[in-house]
Amino acid sequence: MRYAFYFDQTRCMSCNSCSVSCKDWNQVNPGPVRWRKVNTYKADGGPIAMFNLAMSCNHCEEPACKAACSQNAIIKKDNGIVYVDRSKCIGLQLCITACPFAAPHIADDKQEPEQKASWTIAHPMQKCDMCMSRVEKGEKPVCVASCVGHALDFGDFETLKSKYRDAVQLNSSDFPYAYANNTTETGPSMLIKKRTRTVTLNNGN
Amino acid sequence: MGGYAKYTHDYSFHQKSFFGTGYTGYNGGSADANTVASAVNNIVLWGSNALSTVNSSAYSEIRSVEMMKQRGGKVWFIGPEFVDTGVTLADTWYQMRPYTDTALILGMLHHMITNTFDIDGNIRNDVDKKLQLDVNYIDTMVYGFFDSPEYYVNKETGAITFDKDPLDGSVKVNAVPEGESLSAYIMGNDDRLTKADYTGNYVANQFATKQAKRNGSICSYTAAAGDATKYQTKKDFLIPKTPKWASAITGIPEQAIKDLAELYFNPDNHPIYSEWCGAQQKQANGVINMFALQALLILSKTWGQTGDGLGRAFGGSRGSANGTLRVSISRPDVPSNPTTPVISCTQWHNAIKFAFKDQLAANGYNAKYIPDWDYANSESGVYYEDGGAKALYTWDREADGKIKTTADGYYQWKNGEDGKPLIAGFRFILNSGGNIPMNQHMDPNDAREMFEALDLGSTEPDNPDTFCMVSFDNFLSPSPRWSDYVLPAATTWEQEDIISISLGNSLYIPVVSNAPGQAKSQWNFTNDFLKAVGNAKGVGDELATKFTGGVPNQQIEDLVKEAFGKASVDSSSLYYGKKWEDFINNPYAPKTASEYAPVSVTKTTLRNNLDTYLAGDMSTAFVPTIETNEKAGYGAQWLQSTIDACPKSSGRFHVYSDSLVYCYEHRFEQWHGVLASQGLPTGQANKDFEGDPLVYPIPLYYAYEDYFNEAYGVMNGKNTLDMSKGYLLTTTHDRYRAHSSQSENAYLRELTHRIKGGGLYSGNDWNEYGNIGAAQEVKTGETASLTRLNQTIANGQPMAGKENVSSWSEVWMNDQDAAEEVIADGQLITIGNPVGDVRVIARVTDRVVRGFIGLHQGCWYDPDPVDGVDDGGCANTLMAQRPSRVDHGNGQQSAMVWIKNK
Ligand code: SF4
Ligand code: SF4
């Protein structure tokens, strides 16, 4: 079993229902930290920005974040979910530079006003945990459940692959804009139906 | 309570609702997702951002377009801003400047005319017939594309006669005077249509007996001031509206305009579904955009078969499953409202100003917008009169409420003790869950000045000599902030309701959690309010009980339970044998018909008959059976003599509507006895600054420069403007403020607000906003003044230490323009015009056209107390408070702005 996300780039309308429901469900206060981000990118050489990407942590097979963390604060479960044990984090922020996708986050005092007793620092790293508690109950992550465009799906990597035959695994040549930090090969558990359609301006003029 | 003031239309769709399809008779339907998925071949989005604004149909629209594309279908997006719907669905973006839709359509029609007629007026044989106008169709079905003589038509037989009424039930149809038809205007001084013979089929041959050539003259519209006219619109009368002309106005290349014309006119591309949008009709001349679009669809025969049509977002198949619950409430004893003038909702502010003119002036209100029909004295330029504001007198009624009439047929008004007519205006407003008084109306600076100059009514709410506004809401938006009383309302989750999902079925929503404190549901508020009124009137709970359906304190739940009780024992019901708990857990019973069921393209009977007719020799009459408006719309209380003289419907589609002009000029006439008694004109004056008409019978292109020159006081010499440095601004709806009540939801606000220099997601002033947090708590017996909304901003800058949290709304600005202006992404700038100024943060993007700035609508007005600049970023702060042409609606997506500070 390897849980993964599926994203249909042709259907996403960048409504942010996924990212807002994520903050709401996971009690991430309003503020810069946002576990799932939705952006509209420009294709290389394309005339205008038009490629939507809704992405969180990709729960990689070879998590660069985990490898970088000397405190073993990042854990990969058997079902593929990569989560952080926030009480182990001492704020080295090695994961932040290691992750290609800028998926780990550190909040500030305003967004996270209270330090939990078990934490050793005020703002340990936080990131998407695939809604572990929902998944354990057999529910889908909240972003998937709230996706207005039916662009997100969730399930076992192989099952998703056979369900969505035209999807590809997230990779740096098809989706360079997803790689905010580096292009380390981490085996992301993220399948994407790529948008190939481009926009013509004024009938080509 | 004795009645209420009636109004018409709303701030969302005023111009669309006003124009409807009745003036042209356009009869193309709207599509549902099934039709799009299986029949439509092309979708043209006229600026539509339906995915963001109509959430409930977003997926059906995405999915059905996906299926359409699998069949090779295409989506075309036209507009200045490539909104999320464009990004998601469109194959082509026509980069059009705002407010220029009509110029685009005229350029397309010019191309079709020159594809069809050579310079000598002969039909061309060197162009594929599919890329020409179907002239026989136009002659048969369309009134006013070409000039035509006055005639009589028998609507049963289609027979046309001239000169005298044949007395067989025929109606007299007015001439389309020489040079005044739509084609004459389009061709300007190009005379080819004055050489083209009226010949071909029955109608053309009949007309030819009176008028040999299709157009009697080149364009004969003129300006009273001649060449000295200050109006670009009128300077354009004699200019041929070529694709090149349209290209210079719209910014769309000439060839692309021709291609779009051929897309529409070539029948191989049909069915074509056109989606109008809010913005297209919420501009200064939005009614004309709707008129022009319908003219295009009529002329290109985009009607009469499945999928050819005009509408908004498309959802799945609508309708309830058989056996779903039916809930109804009967209120037989509630008397109907007495007759009152039905005025445009945009006239409420004027109605207050009318009632309190003296008080406002005495209290120092600078009177810049007190209704003043004399443009020479008006700082804001001509104010199209009057949308009904002049009808708000106190009426002299019979005991049964019926208004007496004068010998001349006018409604009888009452005089006050001073012998002058008693102005009623508006003296009390119950603002229930709305933000129109301050935020959604144009020019909140003016509204603020007005509300602040009115005597406080709070100690005497019953006193008609003081204005009183009560807001009942759960958001302390700007309108409650300027109210005399604010009553707390329960939120959506704290009150039961029956809601109807857009494009879907109705749904009963129970209370999820109880409302805190004194907050009430809408229902209980009304019930309790009527009890209080009843007690004051000495009738106890009688009024309240009438409201709750004859059962004291009856709740919606009681009604639903009662209906459910019956359904649960009815074997034909979906709820047969079910428990109440089952229903509450799953109240939604959608129709089970499969989604996106294949739909075949079929034609209407009329279209079938027409196609058969056009395939024949066409020597006999065809019966077109199109119904258009004669006496129509709000304010249609007219004198009998006026009704008798109404222009008649020709039975064909109208792309020339004399009734549009006639209705404009006579609107509200019967309420204007006071004016008549003073020897003043009644109805609405159809005159612009130069004495030429405001309203023409055809969809002519009103140049936006003229609108700004009128609105900003250039036409009457009160101001000068350098338009070469101005930017065109409109106010798209983004998803995060699909309604302005969502403006201060912190999770949504942070998606559109940015700190100085910050990225898109960085702006967030959660807990530091005037509405939220402990700072606002006022204990019983204490008083407090409201702080301004943004508590981290002072003098237009972040307060010290608040640099990472003070945020402003973003505006979208073209990347090349920003480079020229030396404005960086994330820079704090002030944009403004003679109406007002706002501070905003630039978002530099290639998703808007050059010369355009997009400030998304719905931000809350929050003026800086020192310099008056709106840090809230409310788009209306930039909007002239003047009604839109023709309908007196809100043209508040039209502003020219200058970058004032960067
Ligand atoms: S996306 Fe980044 S944070 Fe998530 S598992 Fe991969 S490397 Fe780690
Ligand atoms: S909810 Fe779905 S459609 Fe909306 S932004 Fe997220 S992935 Fe895209």
Side-chain angles (χ1 to χ4, degrees):
Chain A
M1 170 65 76
R2 171 189 177 188
Y3 282 130
F5 285 117
Y6 163 80
F7 174 70
D8 184 339
Q9 195 168 35
T10 69
R11 281 188 179 178
C12 175
M13 56 177 167
S14 68
C15 68
N16 270 296
S17 301
C18 51
S19 79
V20 171
S21 64
C22 167
K23 286 182 101 154
D24 184 28
W25 178 265
N26 291 299
Q27 301 193 10
V28 178
N29 282 330
V33 169
R34 176 172 294 267
W35 293 359
R36 175 170 288 277
K37 285 193 172 152
V38 184
N39 277 315
T40 303
Y41 298 93
K42 199 166 175 156
D44 290 341
I48 45 169
M50 58 167 291
F51 290 88
N52 295 332
L53 181 65
M55 193 175 72
S56 62
C57 164
N58 295 313
H59 302 273
C60 308
E61 276 299 87
E62 307 286 342
C65 55
K66 179 174 181 292
C69 179
S70 55
Q71 305 302 304
N72 294 326
I74 298 170
I75 298 137
K76 183 159 177 78
K77 295 181 44 145
D78 290 347
N79 62 11
I81 294 179
V82 177
Y83 73 100
V84 56
D85 180 346
R86 299 190 78 190
S87 57
K88 284 193 183 153
C89 176
I90 59 167
L92 298 175
Q93 303 202 9
L94 299 167
C95 54
I96 298 210
T97 25
C99 168
F101 312 106
H105 307 274
I106 307 284
D108 57 17
D109 290 347
K110 180 170 166 58
Q111 193 172 8
E112 195 169 53
E114 253 176 67
Q115 179 176 344
K116 287 218 172 111
S118 62
W119 300 348
T120 58
I121 53 172
H123 305 295
M125 187 273 269
Q126 54 177 299
K127 68 166 199 69
C128 162
D129 68 356
M130 241 176 188
C131 288
M132 259 181 343
S133 59
R134 292 174 62 96
V135 169
E136 276 159 18
K137 282 190 283 180
E139 290 171 8
K140 294 192 166 179
V142 73
C143 54
V144 176
S146 69
C147 176
V148 179
H150 296 208
L152 286 171
D153 202 354
F154 158 86
D156 172 55
F157 187 83
E158 293 304 327
T159 316
L160 287 174
K161 242 174 124 174
S162 50
K163 184 168 166 193
Y164 302 106
R165 294 199 174 273
D166 43 5
V168 296
Q169 188 176 14
L170 175 61
N171 64 77
S172 57
S173 63
D174 282 325
F175 310 97
Y177 40 81
Y179 288 73
N181 280 347
N182 58 62
T183 50
T184 311
E185 185 42 70
T186 56
S189 301
M190 167 74 152
L191 292 163
I192 306 188
K193 177 171 170 190
K194 192 184 173 189
R195 177 172 174 161
T196 50
R197 178 166 50 94
T198 54
V199 168
T200 309
L201 295 182
N202 302 319
N203 275 7
N205 282 287
Chain B
M1 281 174 65
Y4 54 89
K6 286 190 180 166
Y7 69 95
T8 185
H9 310 323
D10 57 40
Y11 277 73
S12 296
F13 302 124
H14 200 292
Q15 301 191 60
K16 162 71 172 61
S17 310
F18 166 85
F19 194 73
T21 51
Y23 286 104
T24 64
Y26 176 69
N27 62 359
S30 59
D32 63 12
N34 294 346
T35 309
V36 170
S38 59
V40 170
N41 285 333
N42 288 283
I43 293 176
V44 182
L45 303 171
W46 289 83
S48 171
N49 194 14
L51 297 189
S52 290
T53 53
V54 193
N55 196 40
S56 51
S57 68
Y59 176 64
S60 10
E61 185 148 345
I62 289 172
R63 175 69 183 131
S64 54
V65 167
E66 190 174 278
M67 293 174 72
M68 179 189 85
K69 289 191 175 187
Q70 283 161 7
R71 294 184 289 105
K74 290 261 186 288
V75 177
W76 315 76
F77 180 86
I78 304 171
E81 178 177 327
F82 203 45
V83 296
D84 287 341
T85 303
V87 169
T88 311
L89 302 180
D91 301 282
T92 298
W93 174 21
Y94 274 92
Q95 295 181 296
M96 186 184 74
R97 289 196 191 102
Y99 346 120
T100 61
D101 308 45
T102 300
L104 169 61
I105 291 169
L106 295 171
M108 291 162 65
L109 294 176
H110 186 283
H111 176 61
M112 296 313 297
I113 293 171
T114 54
N115 260 7
T116 311
F117 295 95
D118 66 18
I119 51 165
D120 295 319
N122 299 318
I123 304 264
R124 289 172 62 173
N125 287 320
D126 58 338
V127 176
D128 184 348
K129 290 285 165 213
K130 285 178 177 169
L131 304 181
Q132 291 188 334
L133 297 170
D134 185 342
V135 177
N136 283 317
Y137 154 68
I138 292 172
D139 286 339
T140 306
M141 290 290 294
V142 184
Y143 169 78
F145 186 65
F146 300 112
D147 298 347
S148 52
E150 177 185 298
Y151 66 99
Y152 293 86
V153 62
N154 182 320
K155 292 198 184 166
E156 304 291 311
T157 63
I160 285 174
T161 51
F162 299 96
D163 301 327
K164 65 177 206 310
D165 189 344
L167 300 174
D168 60 356
S170 288
V171 296
K172 189 177 97 183
V173 178
N174 289 342
V176 177
E178 292 188 349
E180 294 187 17
S181 62
L182 180 55
S183 66
Y185 166 70
I186 291 171
M187 298 314 288
N189 61 9
D190 180 320
D191 64 357
R192 74 185 68 200
L193 294 176
T194 66
K195 299 180 196 162
D197 288 332
Y198 239 138
T199 176
N201 60 17
Y202 174 78
V203 175
N205 293 340
Q206 289 297 107
F207 286 175
T209 64
K210 286 280 161 189
Q211 179 186 318
K213 304 296 177 184
R214 291 192 168 272
N215 286 349
S217 155
I218 58 166
C219 177
S220 62
Y221 291 103
T222 53
D227 289 347
T229 179
K230 291 182 184 167
Y231 285 84
Q232 185 59 45
T233 302
K234 293 180 240 174
K235 289 180 185 158
D236 279 350
F237 280 149
L238 281 177
I239 308 277
K241 315 302 177 295
T242 60
K244 193 172 170 198
W245 169 87
S247 175
I249 294 168
T250 60
I252 299 172
E254 220 180 313
Q255 186 57 46
I257 294 173
K258 294 178 182 173
D259 291 347
L260 190 63
E262 293 179 4
L263 174 86
Y264 265 104
F265 278 83
N266 186 341
D268 293 348
N269 299 323
H270 290 207
I272 300 178
Y273 185 67
S274 301
E275 199 169 274
W276 62 274
C277 88
Q280 196 185 19
Q281 53 92 51
K282 219 191 271 179
Q283 300 169 358
N285 297 304
V287 163
I288 314 301
N289 286 338
M290 305 317 290
F291 191 177
L293 184 54
Q294 288 175 29
L296 171 69
L297 301 185
I298 287 167
L299 293 165
S300 60
K301 231 192 281 174
T302 315
W303 59 272
Q305 71 177 341
T306 317
D308 261 337
L310 174 64
R312 281 187 78 217
F314 28 94
S317 49
R318 209 195 278 247
S320 331
N322 285 337
T324 40
L325 227 49
R326 301 220 163 267
V327 178
S328 61
I329 180 163
S330 86
R331 295 180 176 128
D333 300 338
V334 176
S336 57
N337 200 49
T339 306
T340 56
V342 179
I343 70 169
S344 162
C345 62
T346 61
Q347 295 306 307
W348 295 341
H349 291 70
N350 269 339
I352 298 169
K353 291 171 183 177
F354 258 127
F356 297 101
K357 188 170 184 165
D358 297 339
Q359 193 183 91
L360 285 166
N363 287 346
Y365 172 66
N366 72 16
K368 69 177 168 179
Y369 293 123
I370 285 186
D372 180 354
W373 319 118
D374 179 0
Y375 65 85
N377 296 329
S378 163
E379 189 192 332
S380 69
V382 72
Y383 198 106
Y384 306 152
E385 57 177 47
D386 72 309
K390 282 195 294 190
L392 297 176
Y393 290 94
T394 304
W395 304 104
D396 193 4
R397 296 175 192 271
E398 310 278 3
D400 62 359
K402 205 167 158 248
I403 309 175
K404 297 173 187 165
T405 47
T406 67
D408 298 336
Y410 293 105
Y411 286 129
Q412 179 67 55
W413 64 96
K414 276 189 182 169
N415 287 324
E417 282 164 12
D418 58 3
K420 289 187 185 157
L422 258 184
I423 293 173
F426 275 16
R427 286 154 197 272
F428 179 91
I429 289 180
L430 173 59
N431 174 46
S432 180
N435 199 359
I436 285 170
M438 279 305 293
N439 217 81
Q440 283 170 244
H441 188 62
M442 300 78 94
D443 198 352
N445 282 324
D446 177 61
R448 176 173 54 80
E449 280 176 36
M450 177 189 78
F451 284 122
E452 290 178 354
L454 287 165
D455 290 343
L456 264 183
S458 56
T459 52
E460 297 174 85
D462 292 338
N463 180 353
D465 294 330
T466 57
F467 176 76
C468 183
M469 180 158 71
V470 177
S471 282
F472 172 64
D473 206 338
N474 50 29
F475 297 99
L476 199 57
S477 72
S479 299
R481 290 167 73 89
W482 270 273
S483 294
D484 298 276
Y485 292 87
V486 181
L487 307 176
T491 65
T492 322
W493 308 112
E494 294 160 349
Q495 58 182 309
E496 50 170 357
D497 202 355
I498 295 175
I499 59 158
S500 65
I501 307 161
S502 178
L503 305 170
N505 300 323
S506 303
L507 188 58
Y508 172 66
I509 310 273
V511 173
V512 177
S513 70
N514 289 320
Q518 297 176 331
K520 284 189 180 8
S521 67
Q522 183 83 40
W523 182 274
N524 286 337
F525 168 75
T526 310
N527 188 17
D528 292 356
F529 181 63
L530 289 172
K531 282 183 189 172
V533 172
N535 284 333
K537 287 191 170 186
V539 294
D541 290 351
E542 191 188 315
L543 293 173
T545 305
K546 279 182 181 171
F547 165 73
T548 54
V551 180
N553 302 317
Q554 180 165 239
Q555 298 290 307
I556 299 173
E557 188 184 20
D558 299 330
L559 295 161
V560 179
K561 267 191 172 149
E562 188 191 324
F564 179 81
K566 286 183 194 149
S568 64
V569 293
D570 173 359
S571 59
S572 68
S573 165
L574 277 175
Y575 302 98
Y576 180 61
K578 294 237 163 75
K579 292 202 200 66
W580 173 248
E581 291 69 36
D582 302 330
F583 169 72
I584 288 298
N585 287 336
N586 189 13
Y588 186 50
K591 208 170 178 172
T592 47
S594 63
E595 271 186 291
Y596 315 118
V599 168
S600 52
V601 176
T602 56
K603 290 183 176 176
T604 61
T605 311
L606 174 62
R607 182 63 192 266
N608 264 328
N609 292 345
L610 174 72
D611 289 350
T612 309
Y613 176 81
L614 294 174
D617 72 357
M618 300 177 285
S619 60
T620 55
F622 181 74
V623 190
T625 68
I626 299 299
E627 285 302 323
T628 49
N629 290 340
E630 290 174 2
K631 169 180 177 286
Y634 73 100
Q637 293 84 14
W638 298 347
L639 304 182
Q640 192 54 46
S641 54
T642 307
I643 295 170
D644 296 341
C646 227
K648 294 287 177 287
S649 158
S650 69
R652 299 190 284 158
F653 292 120
H654 281 215
V655 296
Y656 173 102
S657 177
D658 37 6
S659 93
L660 184 70
V661 179
Y662 191 87
C663 293
Y664 182 88
E665 292 173 350
H666 295 283
R667 194 150 277 141
F668 301 107
E669 184 183 71
Q670 204 179 1
W671 303 101
H672 288 167
V674 174
L675 301 175
S677 74
Q678 296 167 358
L680 295 169
T682 58
Q684 302 181 136
N686 189 10
K687 284 198 183 350
D688 71 6
F689 281 70
E690 297 175 346
D692 293 315
L694 284 168
V695 181
Y696 289 80
I698 53 171
L700 53 79
Y701 170 63
Y702 293 97
Y704 57 77
E705 296 91 334
D706 296 343
Y707 170 74
F708 296 126
N709 280 332
E710 286 182 343
Y712 303 155
V714 176
M715 285 291 183
N716 60 359
K718 304 252 168 170
N719 216 341
T720 53
L721 299 171
D722 180 1
M723 289 214 184
S724 68
K725 299 234 163 39
Y727 286 83
L728 304 176
L729 179 140
T730 66
T731 64
T732 305
H733 256 310
D734 64 44
R735 174 173 290 272
Y736 318 118
R737 286 190 301 272
H739 191 273
S740 69
S741 55
Q742 288 146 353
S743 176
E744 295 309 325
N745 176 326
Y747 279 128
L748 301 179
R749 190 180 201 269
E750 64 179 343
L751 294 167
T752 55
H753 282 63
R754 307 169 78 180
I755 62 170
K756 269 180 91 175
L760 183 59
Y761 293 108
S762 56
N764 168 38
D765 57 5
W766 173 65
N767 267 359
E768 277 150 357
Y769 202 77
N771 285 359
I772 304 170
Q776 292 295 125
E777 244 177 63
V778 182
K779 302 212 167 55
T780 315
E782 287 179 356
T783 56
S785 326
L786 290 177
T787 55
R788 64 176 302 195
L789 293 178
N790 288 284
Q791 292 179 16
T792 61
I793 296 173
N795 302 317
Q797 292 294 329
M799 286 176 172
K802 296 290 184 188
E803 293 79 3
N804 289 332
V805 293
S806 4
S807 60
W808 286 264
S809 172
E810 63 175 17
V811 286
W812 291 29
M813 187 173 184
N814 177 275
D815 46 359
Q816 294 169 55
D817 288 340
E820 271 177 23
E821 298 271 6
V822 198
I823 289 175
D825 186 67
Q827 190 167 326
L828 180 65
I829 58 173
T830 304
I831 56 173
N833 59 24
V835 180
D837 300 313
V838 298
R839 258 184 294 269
V840 283
I841 298 235
R843 171 175 172 182
V844 175
T845 173
D846 57 2
R847 280 173 59 183
V848 296
V849 299
R850 294 208 67 176
F852 171 87
I853 290 181
L855 170 55
H856 293 177
Q857 60 191 275
C859 286
W860 288 357
Y861 170 67
D862 184 32
D864 180 282
V866 181
D867 68 6
V869 177
D870 181 7
D871 285 304
C874 175
N876 286 326
T877 303
L878 302 166
M879 299 299 159
Q881 191 192 45
R882 52 189 267 120
S884 49
R885 198 182 287 259
V886 192
D887 70 324
H888 300 94
N890 48 333
Q892 60 201 116
Q893 298 218 352
S894 299
M896 184 169 272
V897 294
W898 286 261
I899 294 170
K900 295 198 164 172
N901 215 339
K902 52 189 177 188

